[in-house]
Amino acid sequence: MPRLLILDWDPHYRSYVLESCLALGIEAHLVMREAPAALPAGAARVHVLPGLYDDPLQWVDELARYVNLQGLTGVFTHEDELVELSAALSDELGFPGATLTAVRLCMDKSATRDRFTAAGIPGPRYRVATSLDEARRALDELTLPVVLKPVAASGGQGVTRLTDASALARAWDWAVEPYGYLPAVYHRVIIEEFLEGPLVSVEAAVVDGDVHVITATDGLQTIEPVGPTQSRFVYDALLVPTRLPAEDYEAMAHWTREAITALGIQTGIVHTEFKRTPRGVRIVEVNPRLPGVYIPELVHRALGIDLAGAALQLAVGQSPDLTEKHHGAACARLLLAPASGRVHAVEGSDEAAAAPHVVRACFFVAPGDTVAPPHEGNIEVRLGYVLTTDTDPHGALRAADEALARMTVRIDNPATAQAAP
């Protein structure tokens, strides 16, 4: 039986990882910051490492000893903050996976941009800054609006759109804020032209250097204003497959293959983000890991391809089945806080779950919890979600919108309280 070390696991967003372990007969050993109340279904053991995210590379030797003691045969993570640790362990132990060199190229957005420029892969114009003064000089060479973001943070942390140079100092502060968990080599900010157009990600599997493009996901975003000259990006929904025309999909598939080759990724699942601009598709970034939130489940439900299972199999040296079993669509619609305050009541999840085409509808918050809208709080915080399926992406999105409209979060804050969404 394959035995796999899994660096962290999230029961809210990543339950499908252990479900795939069970289905594939893979023995899962979880490494988590704190012990769960009960051993999760599908996990053989939990190794508690409270400082897992505190300079993750310091744990290579300890985890290598654990792997050898338990006789494990692979390492896997779905967390951006831990992909470097996973790659270092794989290199140390001779396990399958993206190399540490390739992972570091992906983590460092400036190094990625440099590699793509050399390979002729289309992306935004950009500059890199290590100080506010350098950022000011970069603005002189770019055209507003621009996007500021840390070179190695994830999940939209520290990312802002800037439309007026007078607000640069505030945007700079946001961009450097996520540095806490990053090594000093990544303490830089990338400043790049803002790309107009929808965000789409391409999900691919790399098997012994051969890139298999599986599908593309529409990432619906809201640009939340945080002042007259700045905005932050927030995901509202994820939709598989993309609604873009076939020629756009083929262009993104082509540049995905070129990008993965340029970065030297030989094994694993790769999540590549694009913008479809008026000038054509432009690459945003490459992530050498399983895509986030519910995308693997959406791919599974829409196409019958177990993307999480494929990632796990590649991590233990097996060849995954990437054959499309059927062709439908799936959507995850995310519920965000409409105002800041304390939750008074949550209503409508049963009604939403009973709506047509709904697979699941649930809240993550309960009365008494304190919440804030994305532009005031943590942009990764969601209050709940609905997941739908249909025969086409437009139908799946429409069903998700209708179901989410039945869910309400009532917030105790007389000045701004309102229903969500």
Side-chain angles (χ1 to χ4, degrees), residues 208-223:
D208 295 328
D210 189 12
V211 181
H212 301 261
V213 173
I214 295 170
T215 191
T217 305
D218 283 350
L220 281 67
Q221 286 185 317
T222 297
I223 301 179

Side-chain angles (χ1 to χ4, degrees), residues 150 159 236 247 300 346:
V159 179
D236 292 324
E247 57 266 29
H300 202 178
V346 294

Side-chain angles (χ1 to χ4, degrees), residues 66-377:
Y66 178 86
V67 165
N68 290 326
L69 180 65
Q70 299 295 328
L72 307 186
T73 54
V75 178
F76 166 85
T77 190
H78 48 61
E79 295 294 338
D80 273 303
E81 297 90 338
L82 302 177
V83 292
E84 192 174 20
L85 172 58
S86 180
L89 272 170
S90 294
D91 282 2
E92 175 76 15
L93 298 165
F95 288 161
T99 65
L100 184 57
T101 298
V103 164
R104 283 176 167 164
L105 277 173
C106 294
M107 286 180 63
D108 187 333
K109 294 177 176 64
S110 65
T112 303
R113 289 266 178 269
D114 292 345
R115 187 63 64 99
F116 290 167
T117 298
I121 298 170
R125 295 178 61 233
Y126 66 97
R127 296 292 183 271
V128 179
T130 59
S131 69
L132 182 56
D133 285 341
E134 287 185 5
R136 289 193 179 98
R137 289 194 291 272
L139 285 190
D140 293 335
E141 302 175 22
L142 299 170
T143 301
L144 292 170
V146 297
V147 174
L148 275 75
K149 53 189 171 184
V151 297
S154 61
Q157 297 177 83
V159 179
T160 60
R161 184 181 68 160
L162 183 70
T163 59
D164 189 322
S166 66
L168 177 62
R170 187 180 183 197
W172 177 266
D173 288 343
W174 279 341
V176 302
E177 187 178 351
Y179 280 174
Y181 72 86
L182 296 171
V185 67
Y186 298 121
H187 290 193
R188 290 169 286 129
V189 171
I190 189 166
I191 304 164
E192 59 190 32
E193 66 175 325
F194 172 68
L195 298 175
E196 293 281 359
L199 179 70
V200 180
S201 64
V202 173
E203 324 308 341
V206 189
V207 185
D208 295 328
D210 189 12
V211 181
H212 301 261
V213 173
I214 295 170
T215 191
T217 305
D218 283 350
L220 281 67
Q221 286 185 317
T222 297
I223 301 179
E224 292 277 351
V226 292
T229 61
Q230 289 175 274
S231 307
R232 302 182 82 178
F233 300 86
V234 181
Y235 276 108
D236 292 324
L238 298 160
L239 181 63
V240 175
T242 178
R243 296 161 295 170
L244 289 182
E247 57 266 29
D248 289 334
Y249 175 73
E250 291 303 324
M252 290 185 294
H254 167 74
W255 291 119
T256 294
R257 297 185 187 98
E258 293 294 311
I260 289 172
T261 299
L263 294 168
I265 301 171
Q266 294 291 309
T267 302
I269 299 298
V270 181
H271 171 75
T272 304
E273 295 182 358
F274 290 86
K275 280 288 194 77
R276 172 58 175 90
T277 78
R279 294 176 290 143
V281 299
R282 296 291 185 268
I283 198 163
V284 177
E285 63 184 43
V286 177
N287 300 281
R289 54 155 175 79
L290 200 62
V293 198
Y294 302 106
I295 293 176
E297 182 176 1
L298 298 180
V299 172
H300 202 178
R301 291 186 179 278
L303 306 177
I305 299 173
D306 184 2
L307 200 61
L312 298 169
Q313 287 182 293
L314 289 169
V316 295
Q318 297 179 352
S319 295
D321 178 9
L322 302 173
T323 307
E324 187 175 304
K325 311 300 187 301
H326 51 260
H327 194 80
C331 178
R333 201 73 159 101
L334 307 173
L335 184 63
L336 306 172
S340 58
R342 190 174 298 276
V343 175
H344 173 71
V346 294
E347 302 165 350
S349 59
D350 290 343
E351 291 84 350
H357 305 288
V358 174
V359 175
R360 209 163 48 246
C362 68
F363 289 108
F364 293 146
V365 294
D369 290 345
T370 299
V371 299
H375 64 275
E376 293 181 13

